[in-house]
Amino acid sequence: MSSRKSWTLPYIIFSAIFVIIPLFLIVVYAFTDDSGHLTLANFQKFFEHPEAINTFVYSIGIAIITTLVCILLGYPAAWILSNSKLNRSKTMVVLFILPMWVNILVRTLATVALFDFFSVPLGEGALIFGMVYNFIPFMIYPIYNTLQKMDHSYIEAAQDLGANPLQVFLKAVLPLSMPGVMSGIMMVFMPTISTFAIAELLTMNNIKLFGTTIQENINNSMWNYGAALSLIMLLLIAATSLFSTDDKDNSNEGGGLW
């Protein structure tokens, strides 16, 4: 127990209980029926129901829109926060990160109350607003962290070579900040596609996302079908993660900014 390897034991136990075993159970339930026999009927049921497929595609669309809006709003915010000429107070950074300290359900309920106060109808627009509001800190922080650690000698070199501010941004700042952008995309896209509480509260349960479908099946004791839907969503997230990793590797192998 005095060796360094023994310090990993608590993490191994934690991962086994809260990660490996739950994932194993999802796979088992997804490929079995109520009697415990192996079957692909759960996946067949998904592909034979247009409503489930439409919900899945719609959820991906909402996740993409949310991610794009978070990039458009989060990148300039992160750049301003990391620029010492535009932001001289660390308090601004805390204010942007502060929403992450509040439970996402509390923030969503506050958004619903705000819309009610201003008589704004709840629906798809409110859903996207709520998604962006809840997840934009997860886009800002990784980009801000990357910009903070950026080697500014590249920027100075670009300026010395006669590049204008736009060229400096496109040729130096943006490529160097892409790891933060990719991390932000993953941190926004993955929870957005699987969330259900935000959709239920901001649309009065009139718009269903894929997470809502999974929740309804689990609540109705349809564990096998719900597990199959969960596995499909996990495979999508895993594919997105692998794509993100490949992009990072390719950018690192590029060897240059120009």
Side-chain angles (χ1 to χ4, degrees), residues 58 115 120-129 199 202-204 206-207:
Y58 181 79
F115 283 166
V120 177
L122 300 178
E124 189 175 64
L127 172 61
I128 295 175
F129 178 89
L202 289 177
T203 67
M204 302 299 292
N206 292 323
I207 295 179

Side-chain angles (χ1 to χ4, degrees), residues 22-236:
L23 289 177
F24 176 76
L25 290 176
I26 289 175
V27 174
V28 170
Y29 275 100
F31 287 97
T32 56
D33 56 19
D34 294 335
S35 301
H37 300 112
L38 290 176
T39 180
L40 295 176
N42 299 314
F43 298 94
Q44 183 179 357
K45 180 179 179 181
F46 168 74
F47 289 107
E48 290 179 350
H49 283 72
E51 182 180 354
I53 296 178
N54 292 337
T55 302
F56 183 62
V57 175
Y58 181 79
S59 300
I60 294 176
I62 291 293
I64 292 175
I65 293 173
T66 301
T67 304
L68 291 176
V69 174
C70 285
I71 293 175
L72 294 176
L73 297 178
Y75 196 102
W79 184 75
I80 292 173
L81 292 175
S82 64
N83 194 322
S84 59
K85 296 180 180 179
L86 300 176
N87 176 38
R88 299 180 180 275
S89 175
K90 295 297 182 181
T91 305
M92 289 297 297
V93 179
V94 176
L95 291 177
F96 272 91
I97 306 302
L98 190 61
M100 298 174 63
W101 300 353
V102 182
N103 183 274
I104 189 172
L105 183 59
V106 175
R107 281 182 279 151
T108 304
L109 290 172
T111 305
V112 174
L114 184 65
F115 283 166
D116 289 340
F117 179 79
F118 289 105
S119 300
V120 177
L122 300 178
E124 189 175 64
L127 172 61
I128 295 175
F129 178 89
M131 292 284 196
V132 173
Y133 166 65
N134 279 290
F135 295 114
I136 194 170
F138 297 98
M139 180 66 71
I140 293 176
Y141 184 73
I143 298 176
Y144 164 78
N145 192 40
T146 302
L147 292 174
Q148 277 285 91
K149 297 178 180 179
M150 183 184 300
D151 187 354
H152 289 273
S153 62
Y154 289 106
I155 299 176
E156 295 173 357
Q159 294 171 341
D160 292 340
L161 291 172
N164 59 44
L166 180 59
Q167 290 174 327
V168 170
F169 174 77
L170 294 177
K171 296 291 186 178
V173 177
L174 185 59
L176 289 172
S177 63
M178 284 309 296
V181 174
M182 295 306 301
S183 297
I185 290 174
M186 295 304 301
M187 294 176 67
V188 171
F189 181 81
M190 289 193 295
T192 301
I193 198 173
S194 60
T195 187
F196 58 89
I198 298 177
E200 290 181 359
L201 293 173
L202 289 177
T203 67
M204 302 299 292
N205 211 22
N206 292 323
I207 295 179
K208 290 184 179 181
L209 297 183
F210 200 61
T212 306
T213 304
I214 296 174
Q215 180 209 23
E216 290 178 347
N217 282 279
I218 297 298
N219 289 343
N220 292 329
S221 299
M222 299 175 65
W223 288 80
N224 303 95
Y225 184 52
L229 297 180
S230 300
L231 187 58
I232 292 173
M233 184 180 65
L234 287 174
L235 291 175
L236 174 65

